[in-house]
Amino acid sequence: RGLRKERFGQGLATAEMWSELDGPDRYTVFVPVDLEIDAMDRMKPVEMPPTVLESFVKAHIVRGDYSLEEVGRVRNLDGEHIKVRSANV
């Protein structure tokens, strides 16, 4: 499971999202499920088209702090409603 976070972190860095996340606003970042990371693994983040990688990363980030119950009512950085499934791992 640590590898999943590491791979997503590489995607954040390659998409140059760390500077935005490090700003004054607060964000909630959801590490994608293994299936999505596996799809990303077929192509290293540096090999992905920049717009595809940025969209993949932004789909897993929301602006602000939210409880799990509130997440379904917020939009990610791409403007889509975010879907979250919780697993206690």
Side-chain angles (χ1 to χ4, degrees):
R1 302 211 191 275
L3 180 61
R4 178 174 57 175
K5 288 187 251 183
E6 182 181 318
R7 296 289 295 152
F8 189 66
Q10 290 171 355
L12 284 169
T14 303
E16 299 180 358
M17 291 294 300
W18 282 119
S19 60
E20 183 173 345
L21 297 177
D22 198 29
D25 293 333
R26 297 185 60 94
Y27 295 91
T28 303
V29 178
F30 298 94
V31 176
V33 296
D34 289 336
L35 232 107
E36 288 192 42
I37 291 293
D38 289 347
M40 190 174 119
D41 275 345
R42 288 188 207 105
M43 193 181 300
K44 293 182 173 138
V46 295
E47 297 171 346
M48 295 176 83
T51 55
V52 172
L53 179 60
E54 185 175 334
S55 182
F56 178 81
V57 169
K58 284 183 172 183
H60 296 88
I61 302 173
V62 296
R63 186 172 274 115
D65 292 322
Y66 298 94
S67 69
L68 205 50
E69 294 78 27
E70 297 172 303
V71 169
R73 296 187 300 264
V74 298
R75 295 181 184 271
N76 61 28
L77 295 183
D78 264 349
E80 301 292 324
H81 284 281
I82 193 161
K83 295 178 185 174
V84 176
R85 287 187 207 95
S86 173
N88 192 8
V89 290

